Amino acid sequence: MTAIATLSSKYQISIPRSVREEQHWQSGQQFVFIPKGKGMLMMPIPSLEQLKGIATGADSSDFRDRNDRF
């Protein structure tokens, strides 16, 4: 998919409809911007409800605590 957007004089960018629809992004959704070289990675911030159960079944047998540090 190729989509192009232009930075406005108010430093705003409108995300093209094709991108919004493919990613299922909604109005009011929050994003984080992560620097990547000369570019920027834009990721939606998940809600707590979306994170629920993400670590179910994780192996915690090799868990390190701060007690093993000098």
Side-chain angles (χ1 to χ4, degrees), residues 14-43:
S14 293
I15 301 169
R17 178 180 291 173
S18 60
V19 174
R20 294 190 316 257
E21 289 176 350
E22 183 174 319
Q23 298 297 321
H24 306 289
W25 290 342
Q26 301 296 319
S27 173
Q29 190 170 1
Q30 292 186 322
F31 293 82
V32 62
F33 291 85
I34 304 166
K36 287 286 196 183
K38 292 186 177 188
M40 193 67 58
L41 178 62
M42 183 179 90
M43 297 286 298

Side-chain angles (χ1 to χ4, degrees), residues 60-69:
S60 62
S61 63
D62 193 26
F63 176 73
R64 286 183 47 191
D65 198 356
R66 293 182 188 267
N67 295 334
D68 64 350
R69 299 180 190 173

